[in-house]
Amino acid sequence: MANPVTDIYRLTKAGLTLTYYGVALFPPHLPTPWPVRLLRVLLFPFKMIGFVLRAPFGAKTTSERLVTALTKLGPSYIKLGQFLATRPDIIGDELASNLSPLQDNLPPFPQDVAIEEIERQLGKPINELFVDFSEPIAAASIAQVHKATIMDHGQKRHVAVKVLRPDIEQRFENDQAAYRFAAKMVERFSKPARRLKPVDVVKTLDRTVTIELDLRLEAAAISELAQNTANDKNVRTPLVEWSCTTQRVLTTEWIDATPIGEIETLKRQGHDLTKLGTHVLQSFLQQAMRDGFFHADMHPGNLMVDASGNLVMLDCGIMGRLSARERRFLAEILHGFVTGDYAQAAQAHFEAGYVPAHYSVDEFAQGLRAIGEPIADKPASEISMARFLGQLLEYTAVYDMETRPELILLQKNLVIAEGVARSLNSDLNLWRVAEPVVKEWLADELGPAAKMAKMGAGLRAIDHFLDGLPSHLKHLEQDLDGLAKLSRGLQTMDETAIANLLSGKSSTGFSTRMALWIGAISLAILAINQLF
Ligand SMILES: Nc1ncnc2c1ncn2[C@@H]1O[C@H](COP(=O)(O)OP(=O)(O)O)[C@@H](O)[C@H]1O
Ligand SMILES: [Mg+2]
């Protein structure tokens, strides 16, 4: 049941923990409104205690302190932190990058607790279920994993058994209730923050967590991914042991493989790292574009390489879905950029309803041209698709575009997939690698009618895409570094467009974030009033 007092209590505890670890409640470079100044005074003694007690452990960076504070606050704050790290559109770039090292590692819970839970869930004593059962081999905020062996028709088979932490559902429910309360307050008291839809953002987090807390859904995601990628060479997902899977226990085929981060071991085993990098990126793009269902947690901890050189994808707790409409939109955009048809790319935004109709399509197209055209020559290997998509999302945010969590999730995971691919071979030409997948996607997505209409230009464009991609898009990597820099290339742009770009940037960057902070701070003051 909703209970504002316990919500406020929980938020206050979180606020005090952050203060103790010296994490600023308000970005220092922004003007300080009076409630913040008051709060600073109130919290000053606490900050000092934190400073003195933390001192022996050495001065740490803001990022390290933030990560420590969230880890101390527990599983749901780790998840919140990881979630927000993927949403710089809400919390700003600096905070997002400070959050990005947040690892999902926690000490394991005791073996007997895990065994008891598995027995309760699967309805049999552990030695009837497995012929052996290891100590935990990995532990994260939600669950831990054990290696076990089952006897199947006289044959031994190794399995991975993932089991949820005790009481994790209740802990999440309590903290999520507090987040919901905070989001509602922010929406009520701050008009500019409403566009960022904090209540919806918390709902998205809620949904992600609900899925992660039901391991049957993770099992279903593994099986859907396996089905989608069944004909893809060189990728592999573990088979689900449905008979040993419940809401709190997930059992999958054990795959003997090397973590993808262990580059030296992979080299020693004779794997072709360039090929592996290619598989990572191609598989990600295929999932996103062709299937519209992609692994959205493709960090190196969840990727391995088996003896045959297959890319093994584990941990389908977080998946992203792109609707046909969103994939079509991406296809149109990319097609527009590749052919230099910015009007088409702009039109796609309006048709998809992503940009409010009262804006001018031509003006919008001009902005897209500003991303595509003023571009310097760079080696293709330095071009990042993720950056391109990031710049596009950044630009479109200026036009009151509603936040589109799926596209942001896609972009963030593209950054990660590119990072993993580059760690395997830093010279990998990402556009070349992506080319066959994107070409197929464009051909499919633009559909027979569109293909007929665009027969000349369209097919040429696809060819051009093959040959000309690096030459046309190579500019995209140029470090525009935000919209202010971008505007320098816009001499030909009309004034309204420039004004939209610049004022839009400052309003999303400053006043909305400011409003969020004010909302949060009002909450904290309320909380302190309750406590003292
Ligand atoms: N089927 C499997 N085969 C081999 N190792 C596995 C398997 N499933 C999990 N693991 C190991 O356990 C670790 C944690 O599993 P994962 O599913 O990623 O859990 P979490 O959601 O806690 O991150 C993986 O990084 C991997 O080392
Ligand atoms: Mg994992």
Side-chain angles (χ1 to χ4, degrees):
M1 206 186 68
N3 182 345
V5 178
T6 51
D7 290 343
I8 289 168
Y9 168 72
R10 288 199 176 91
L11 292 169
T12 307
K13 218 166 80 180
L16 292 179
T17 306
L18 290 169
T19 309
Y20 179 84
Y21 281 94
V23 178
L25 287 179
F26 197 80
H29 59 281
L30 298 180
T32 324
W34 72 263
V36 182
R37 286 202 296 270
L38 177 66
L39 195 69
R40 272 194 193 147
V41 173
L42 287 174
L43 291 180
F44 186 74
F46 207 73
K47 192 171 167 184
M48 282 299 104
I49 295 170
F51 183 74
V52 171
L53 294 184
R54 272 190 295 109
F57 304 105
K60 288 182 174 174
T61 62
T62 316
S63 177
E64 283 168 333
R65 281 185 275 122
L66 184 59
V67 166
T68 314
L70 293 179
T71 309
K72 273 270 170 340
L73 283 167
S76 67
Y77 284 86
I78 294 178
K79 282 285 159 201
L80 177 69
Q82 287 188 320
F83 180 71
L84 290 178
T86 67
R87 298 299 302 269
D89 55 316
I90 297 172
I91 59 168
D93 286 334
E94 195 184 336
L95 192 50
S97 74
N98 281 338
L99 280 171
S100 62
L102 190 60
Q103 292 280 322
D104 198 355
N105 289 331
L106 280 181
F109 56 90
Q111 180 81 344
D112 50 345
V113 175
I115 290 178
E116 217 173 277
E117 185 57 34
I118 291 168
E119 291 181 333
R120 193 171 328 122
Q121 288 284 310
L122 302 181
K124 280 186 192 163
I126 197 87
N127 44 17
E128 274 183 39
L129 291 161
F130 306 111
V131 289
D132 59 51
F133 186 80
S134 80
E135 292 284 327
I137 55 146
S141 54
I142 287 187
Q144 68 186 28
V145 176
H146 300 254
K147 184 177 180 181
T149 311
I150 50 176
M151 198 57 101
D152 185 11
H153 298 96
Q155 293 272 319
K156 277 186 177 178
R157 251 179 331 113
H158 295 306
V159 288
V161 184
K162 191 172 191 173
V163 54
L164 292 188
R165 284 187 176 273
D167 298 328
I168 191 76
E169 292 92 336
Q170 192 54 50
R171 290 186 69 175
F172 266 94
E173 179 41 42
N174 293 343
D175 288 335
Q176 298 281 49
Y179 302 159
R180 278 194 292 271
F181 174 77
K184 249 193 260 166
M185 292 299 125
V186 168
E187 279 204 7
R188 180 174 306 166
F189 295 114
S190 143
K191 208 172 155 205
R194 265 175 232 155
R195 193 186 71 80
L196 295 174
K197 301 191 171 168
V199 170
D200 282 357
V201 169
V202 172
K203 265 192 202 146
T204 310
L205 179 66
D206 254 347
R207 210 168 46 235
T208 320
V209 167
T210 309
I211 293 173
E212 282 196 84
L213 289 178
D214 188 339
L215 295 177
R216 287 167 303 190
L217 294 176
E218 181 172 341
I222 298 174
S223 112
E224 187 173 344
L225 183 65
Q227 193 177 6
N228 290 344
T229 56
N231 296 323
D232 297 349
K233 289 194 197 90
N234 312 112
V235 292
R236 183 175 171 194
T237 44
L239 293 170
V240 176
E241 296 281 346
W242 286 101
S243 62
C244 296
T245 296
T246 64
Q247 183 239 318
R248 308 196 91 246
V249 176
L250 166 66
T251 307
T252 54
E253 162 197 17
W254 179 269
I255 298 183
D256 265 318
T258 308
I260 206 154
E262 292 181 14
I263 308 268
E264 288 310 313
T265 316
L266 291 173
K267 273 191 198 158
R268 237 182 299 121
Q269 292 167 340
H271 291 293
D272 180 339
L273 298 192
T274 305
K275 261 196 192 160
L276 283 175
T278 306
H279 296 154
V280 172
L281 197 62
Q282 286 192 337
S283 179
F284 176 74
L285 290 171
Q286 255 155 357
Q287 292 166 38
M289 296 172 179
R290 180 193 61 195
D291 311 327
F293 184 61
F294 60 92
H295 194 296
D297 199 11
M298 251 192 174
H299 63 77
N302 291 333
L303 298 176
M304 303 209 285
V305 181
D306 74 5
S308 324
N310 291 312
L311 173 71
V312 180
M313 287 178 287
L314 297 172
D315 197 353
C316 293
I318 307 174
M319 303 294 289
R321 270 189 205 279
L322 289 176
S323 65
R325 181 169 157 251
E326 281 154 338
R327 282 181 280 155
R328 164 100 199 179
F329 164 73
L330 280 171
E332 295 272 5
I333 295 288
L334 201 51
H335 187 266
F337 270 91
V338 167
T339 56
D341 187 350
Y342 301 108
Q344 182 209 358
Q347 195 61 42
H349 279 83
F350 283 76
E351 276 167 13
Y354 286 143
V355 180
H358 64 266
Y359 285 108
S360 140
V361 182
D362 293 339
E363 215 175 81
F364 189 76
Q366 210 172 348
L368 294 184
R369 182 183 289 275
I371 296 176
E373 291 287 314
I375 316 176
D377 273 333
K378 272 206 165 189
S381 59
E382 288 174 26
I383 299 162
S384 157
M385 292 184 79
R387 264 195 78 85
F388 161 59
L389 198 55
Q391 285 172 1
L392 193 65
L393 290 177
E394 213 174 285
Y395 170 64
T396 49
V398 169
Y399 279 81
D400 300 342
M401 271 186 45
E402 311 244 304
T403 41
R404 290 161 301 158
E406 271 70 26
L407 293 182
I408 291 167
L409 193 64
L410 174 82
Q411 195 265 336
K412 284 290 136 197
N413 277 280
L414 197 48
V415 173
I416 296 168
E418 276 189 7
V420 174
R422 282 231 165 97
S423 72
L424 292 162
N425 176 3
S426 56
D427 290 331
L428 209 63
N429 179 335
L430 298 173
W431 286 103
R432 279 282 156 211
V433 167
E435 193 177 274
V437 183
V438 179
K439 185 186 166 197
E440 196 185 316
W441 175 55
L442 280 174
D444 284 354
E445 281 296 309
L446 293 176
K451 258 188 267 172
M452 288 296 283
K454 292 172 183 162
M455 193 54 108
L459 291 183
R460 263 202 314 282
I462 289 168
D463 274 353
H464 176 70
F465 190 80
L466 267 175
D467 303 332
L469 239 190
S471 70
H472 192 88
L473 288 179
K474 61 190 150 199
H475 312 293
L476 292 172
E477 177 61 10
Q478 188 184 39
D479 187 8
L480 297 174
D481 212 13
L483 294 166
K485 251 193 201 166
L486 176 73
S487 69
R488 269 188 238 135
L490 303 184
Q491 277 100 8
T492 58
M493 212 170 178
D494 74 37
E495 288 196 349
T496 332
I498 294 175
N500 274 338
L501 268 171
L502 297 178
S503 67
K505 168 72 179 171
S506 60
S507 86
T508 44
F510 178 74
S511 63
T512 42
R513 234 170 280 148
M514 174 101 160
L516 272 177
W517 280 110
I518 292 172
I521 283 153
S522 333
L523 254 185
I525 290 172
L526 264 176
I528 286 165
N529 283 341
Q530 293 270 336
L531 282 182
F532 301 104

Coordinates of all heavy atoms in Angstrom, one line a residue, residues 215-263:
L215 N 12.2 -15.3 -13.5 CA 13.1 -16.0 -14.3 C 12.5 -16.8 -15.4 O 13.2 -17.2 -16.4 CB 14.1 -16.9 -13.4 CG 14.9 -16.0 -12.5 CD1 15.8 -17.0 -11.6 CD2 15.9 -15.1 -13.2
R216 N 11.2 -17.1 -15.3 CA 10.5 -17.8 -16.4 C 10.5 -16.8 -17.7 O 10.6 -17.3 -18.8 CB 9.1 -18.1 -16.1 CG 8.9 -19.2 -15.1 CD 7.6 -19.3 -14.6 NE 7.2 -18.1 -13.9 CZ 6.1 -17.9 -13.2 NH1 5.3 -18.9 -13.0 NH2 5.8 -16.8 -12.6
L217 N 10.4 -15.5 -17.4 CA 10.4 -14.6 -18.5 C 11.8 -14.5 -19.1 O 12.0 -14.4 -20.4 CB 10.0 -13.2 -18.1 CG 8.5 -13.1 -17.6 CD1 8.2 -11.7 -17.1 CD2 7.6 -13.5 -18.8
E218 N 12.9 -14.6 -18.3 CA 14.2 -14.6 -18.9 C 14.4 -15.9 -19.7 O 14.9 -15.8 -20.8 CB 15.3 -14.6 -17.8 CG 16.7 -14.6 -18.3 CD 17.8 -14.3 -17.3 OE1 17.5 -13.8 -16.3 OE2 18.9 -14.7 -17.7
A219 N 13.8 -17.0 -19.2 CA 13.9 -18.3 -20.0 C 13.2 -18.1 -21.3 O 13.7 -18.5 -22.4 CB 13.3 -19.4 -19.2
A220 N 12.1 -17.4 -21.3 CA 11.3 -17.2 -22.5 C 12.1 -16.3 -23.5 O 12.1 -16.5 -24.7 CB 9.9 -16.6 -22.2
A221 N 12.8 -15.3 -22.9 CA 13.6 -14.4 -23.8 C 14.7 -15.2 -24.4 O 15.0 -15.0 -25.6 CB 14.1 -13.2 -22.9
I222 N 15.4 -16.1 -23.6 CA 16.5 -16.9 -24.2 C 15.9 -17.7 -25.3 O 16.5 -17.8 -26.4 CB 17.1 -17.8 -23.1 CG1 17.7 -17.0 -21.9 CG2 18.1 -18.8 -23.7 CD1 18.2 -17.9 -20.8
S223 N 14.7 -18.3 -25.1 CA 14.2 -19.2 -26.2 C 13.8 -18.4 -27.4 O 14.0 -18.8 -28.5 CB 13.2 -20.1 -25.6 OG 11.9 -19.9 -26.0
E224 N 13.2 -17.2 -27.2 CA 12.9 -16.4 -28.4 C 14.1 -15.9 -29.1 O 14.2 -16.0 -30.4 CB 12.1 -15.1 -27.9 CG 11.5 -14.3 -29.1 CD 10.6 -13.2 -28.6 OE1 10.1 -13.2 -27.5 OE2 10.3 -12.3 -29.4
L225 N 15.2 -15.5 -28.4 CA 16.4 -15.1 -29.0 C 17.0 -16.3 -29.8 O 17.5 -16.2 -30.9 CB 17.4 -14.6 -28.0 CG 18.7 -14.1 -28.5 CD1 18.5 -12.8 -29.3 CD2 19.6 -13.7 -27.3
A226 N 16.9 -17.5 -29.2 CA 17.5 -18.7 -29.8 C 16.7 -19.0 -31.1 O 17.3 -19.3 -32.2 CB 17.4 -19.9 -28.9
Q227 N 15.4 -18.8 -31.1 CA 14.6 -19.1 -32.3 C 14.9 -18.1 -33.4 O 15.1 -18.4 -34.5 CB 13.1 -19.0 -31.9 CG 12.2 -19.5 -32.9 CD 10.7 -19.4 -32.4 OE1 10.5 -18.9 -31.3 NE2 9.8 -20.0 -33.2
N228 N 15.0 -16.8 -33.0 CA 15.3 -15.8 -34.0 C 16.7 -16.0 -34.6 O 16.9 -15.6 -35.8 CB 15.3 -14.4 -33.3 CG 13.9 -14.0 -33.0 OD1 12.9 -14.5 -33.4 ND2 13.8 -13.0 -32.1
T229 N 17.7 -16.5 -33.8 CA 19.0 -16.6 -34.4 C 19.4 -18.0 -34.8 O 20.6 -18.3 -35.0 CB 20.0 -16.1 -33.3 OG1 19.9 -16.8 -32.1 CG2 19.8 -14.6 -33.0
A230 N 18.4 -18.9 -34.9 CA 18.6 -20.3 -35.1 C 19.5 -20.5 -36.4 O 20.3 -21.4 -36.5 CB 17.3 -21.1 -35.2
N231 N 19.2 -19.6 -37.4 CA 20.0 -19.8 -38.7 C 21.2 -19.0 -38.8 O 21.9 -18.9 -39.8 CB 19.1 -19.6 -39.9 CG 17.9 -20.6 -39.9 OD1 18.1 -21.8 -39.6 ND2 16.7 -20.1 -40.3
D232 N 21.5 -18.2 -37.7 CA 22.7 -17.4 -37.8 C 23.9 -18.2 -37.4 O 23.9 -18.8 -36.3 CB 22.5 -16.2 -36.8 CG 21.4 -15.3 -37.2 OD1 20.8 -15.4 -38.4 OD2 21.0 -14.4 -36.4
K233 N 24.9 -18.1 -38.3 CA 26.1 -18.9 -37.9 C 26.8 -18.2 -36.8 O 26.7 -16.9 -36.7 CB 27.0 -19.0 -39.2 CG 26.4 -19.9 -40.2 CD 27.5 -20.2 -41.3 CE 26.8 -20.7 -42.5 NZ 26.5 -19.7 -43.5
N234 N 27.6 -18.9 -36.1 CA 28.5 -18.4 -35.1 C 27.9 -17.7 -33.9 O 28.6 -16.9 -33.2 CB 29.5 -17.4 -35.7 CG 30.1 -18.0 -37.0 OD1 29.9 -17.5 -38.1 ND2 30.9 -19.0 -36.8
V235 N 26.6 -17.8 -33.7 CA 26.0 -17.3 -32.4 C 25.3 -18.4 -31.7 O 24.8 -19.3 -32.3 CB 25.1 -16.1 -32.6 CG1 25.8 -14.9 -33.0 CG2 23.9 -16.4 -33.5
R236 N 25.3 -18.4 -30.4 CA 24.8 -19.5 -29.6 C 24.2 -19.0 -28.3 O 24.7 -18.1 -27.7 CB 25.9 -20.4 -29.3 CG 25.5 -21.7 -28.6 CD 26.7 -22.6 -28.5 NE 26.4 -23.7 -27.6 CZ 27.3 -24.5 -27.1 NH1 28.6 -24.4 -27.4 NH2 26.9 -25.5 -26.3
T237 N 23.0 -19.6 -28.0 CA 22.4 -19.2 -26.7 C 22.2 -20.6 -25.9 O 22.0 -21.6 -26.6 CB 21.1 -18.6 -26.8 OG1 20.3 -19.3 -27.8 CG2 21.2 -17.1 -27.2
P238 N 22.3 -20.6 -24.6 CA 22.1 -21.9 -23.9 C 20.7 -22.4 -24.0 O 19.8 -21.6 -24.0 CB 22.5 -21.5 -22.5 CG 22.4 -20.1 -22.3 CD 22.6 -19.5 -23.7
L239 N 20.5 -23.7 -24.0 CA 19.2 -24.3 -24.1 C 18.6 -24.2 -22.7 O 19.3 -24.3 -21.7 CB 19.2 -25.7 -24.5 CG 19.6 -26.0 -25.9 CD1 19.9 -27.5 -26.1 CD2 18.6 -25.5 -26.9
V240 N 17.3 -23.9 -22.6 CA 16.6 -23.8 -21.3 C 16.2 -25.2 -20.8 O 15.7 -25.9 -21.6 CB 15.4 -22.9 -21.4 CG1 14.7 -22.8 -20.1 CG2 15.8 -21.5 -21.8
E241 N 16.5 -25.5 -19.5 CA 16.0 -26.7 -18.9 C 14.6 -26.3 -18.3 O 14.6 -25.9 -17.1 CB 16.9 -27.2 -17.8 CG 18.3 -27.6 -18.3 CD 18.3 -29.0 -19.0 OE1 17.3 -29.8 -18.8 OE2 19.3 -29.4 -19.6
W242 N 13.6 -26.4 -19.1 CA 12.3 -25.9 -18.5 C 11.8 -26.7 -17.3 O 11.1 -26.1 -16.5 CB 11.2 -26.0 -19.6 CG 11.4 -24.9 -20.7 CD1 11.9 -25.1 -21.9 CD2 11.0 -23.5 -20.6 NE1 12.0 -23.9 -22.6 CE2 11.4 -22.9 -21.8 CE3 10.5 -22.8 -19.6 CZ2 11.2 -21.6 -22.0 CZ3 10.3 -21.4 -19.8 CH2 10.6 -20.8 -21.0
S243 N 12.2 -28.0 -17.2 CA 11.7 -28.7 -16.1 C 12.3 -28.3 -14.8 O 11.8 -28.6 -13.7 CB 12.0 -30.2 -16.3 OG 13.4 -30.4 -16.4
C244 N 13.4 -27.6 -14.8 CA 14.1 -27.1 -13.6 C 14.0 -25.5 -13.6 O 15.0 -24.9 -13.1 CB 15.5 -27.5 -13.5 SG 15.7 -29.3 -13.4
T245 N 13.0 -25.0 -14.1 CA 12.9 -23.5 -14.2 C 11.5 -23.1 -13.6 O 10.5 -23.6 -13.9 CB 13.0 -23.0 -15.7 OG1 14.3 -23.4 -16.1 CG2 12.8 -21.5 -15.8
T246 N 11.6 -22.1 -12.7 CA 10.4 -21.5 -12.1 C 10.6 -20.0 -12.0 O 11.6 -19.5 -12.5 CB 10.2 -22.1 -10.6 OG1 11.3 -21.6 -9.8 CG2 10.1 -23.6 -10.6
Q247 N 9.7 -19.3 -11.3 CA 9.8 -17.9 -11.2 C 11.2 -17.5 -10.6 O 11.8 -16.5 -10.9 CB 8.7 -17.3 -10.4 CG 8.7 -15.8 -10.3 CD 8.8 -15.3 -8.9 OE1 8.1 -15.8 -8.0 NE2 9.6 -14.3 -8.6
R248 N 11.6 -18.3 -9.6 CA 12.8 -17.9 -8.8 C 14.1 -18.8 -9.2 O 15.1 -18.5 -8.6 CB 12.6 -18.0 -7.3 CG 11.3 -17.2 -6.9 CD 11.3 -17.0 -5.4 NE 12.0 -15.7 -5.1 CZ 13.1 -15.6 -4.4 NH1 13.7 -16.7 -4.0 NH2 13.6 -14.4 -4.1
V249 N 13.9 -19.7 -10.1 CA 15.1 -20.6 -10.5 C 15.1 -20.7 -12.0 O 14.1 -21.1 -12.6 CB 15.0 -22.0 -9.8 CG1 16.2 -22.9 -10.3 CG2 15.0 -21.9 -8.3
L250 N 16.3 -20.5 -12.6 CA 16.4 -20.7 -14.0 C 17.6 -21.6 -14.3 O 18.7 -21.4 -13.8 CB 16.7 -19.3 -14.7 CG 17.2 -19.4 -16.1 CD1 16.2 -19.9 -17.1 CD2 17.7 -18.0 -16.6
T251 N 17.3 -22.7 -15.0 CA 18.3 -23.7 -15.2 C 18.6 -23.7 -16.8 O 17.6 -23.9 -17.5 CB 17.9 -25.1 -14.7 OG1 17.6 -24.9 -13.3 CG2 19.1 -26.1 -14.8
T252 N 19.8 -23.6 -17.1 CA 20.1 -23.6 -18.6 C 21.3 -24.5 -18.8 O 22.1 -24.8 -17.9 CB 20.5 -22.2 -19.1 OG1 21.6 -21.7 -18.3 CG2 19.3 -21.3 -19.1
E253 N 21.5 -25.0 -20.0 CA 22.6 -25.8 -20.4 C 23.9 -25.0 -20.1 O 24.0 -23.8 -20.3 CB 22.5 -25.9 -22.0 CG 23.8 -26.3 -22.7 CD 23.7 -26.0 -24.2 OE1 22.8 -25.2 -24.6 OE2 24.5 -26.6 -24.9
W254 N 24.9 -25.7 -19.5 CA 26.1 -25.1 -19.2 C 27.0 -25.0 -20.4 O 27.1 -26.0 -21.1 CB 26.9 -25.9 -18.1 CG 28.2 -25.3 -17.8 CD1 29.4 -25.6 -18.3 CD2 28.5 -24.2 -16.8 NE1 30.4 -24.8 -17.8 CE2 29.8 -23.9 -16.9 CE3 27.7 -23.5 -15.9 CZ2 30.4 -22.9 -16.1 CZ3 28.3 -22.5 -15.1 CH2 29.6 -22.3 -15.2
I255 N 27.5 -23.9 -20.7 CA 28.3 -23.8 -21.9 C 29.8 -23.5 -21.5 O 30.0 -22.5 -20.8 CB 27.8 -22.7 -22.9 CG1 26.4 -23.1 -23.4 CG2 28.8 -22.5 -24.1 CD1 25.8 -22.1 -24.4
D256 N 30.7 -24.4 -21.8 CA 32.1 -24.2 -21.5 C 32.6 -23.2 -22.5 O 32.7 -23.5 -23.7 CB 32.9 -25.5 -21.6 CG 33.0 -26.1 -20.3 OD1 33.2 -25.4 -19.3 OD2 32.8 -27.4 -20.2
A257 N 33.0 -22.0 -22.0 CA 33.4 -21.0 -23.0 C 34.3 -20.0 -22.3 O 34.3 -19.9 -21.0 CB 32.2 -20.3 -23.6
T258 N 35.0 -19.2 -23.1 CA 35.9 -18.2 -22.5 C 35.2 -16.8 -22.5 O 34.7 -16.4 -23.6 CB 37.2 -18.1 -23.4 OG1 37.7 -19.4 -23.5 CG2 38.2 -17.2 -22.8
P259 N 35.3 -16.1 -21.4 CA 34.7 -14.7 -21.4 C 35.3 -13.9 -22.5 O 36.5 -13.9 -22.7 CB 35.0 -14.2 -20.0 CG 35.2 -15.4 -19.2 CD 35.8 -16.5 -20.1
I260 N 34.5 -13.1 -23.1 CA 35.0 -12.3 -24.3 C 36.0 -11.3 -23.9 O 36.8 -10.8 -24.8 CB 33.8 -11.7 -25.1 CG1 34.2 -11.5 -26.6 CG2 33.3 -10.4 -24.5 CD1 33.1 -11.6 -27.5
G261 N 36.0 -10.9 -22.6 CA 37.0 -9.9 -22.2 C 38.4 -10.5 -22.0 O 39.4 -9.7 -21.9
E262 N 38.5 -11.8 -22.0 CA 39.9 -12.4 -21.8 C 40.6 -12.6 -23.2 O 40.7 -13.7 -23.7 CB 39.7 -13.8 -21.1 CG 39.2 -13.6 -19.7 CD 39.1 -14.9 -18.9 OE1 39.6 -16.0 -19.4 OE2 38.5 -14.9 -17.9
I263 N 41.0 -11.4 -23.7 CA 41.6 -11.3 -25.0 C 42.8 -12.3 -25.2 O 42.9 -13.0 -26.2 CB 42.0 -9.9 -25.3 CG1 40.8 -8.9 -25.1 CG2 42.5 -9.8 -26.8 CD1 39.9 -8.6 -26.1

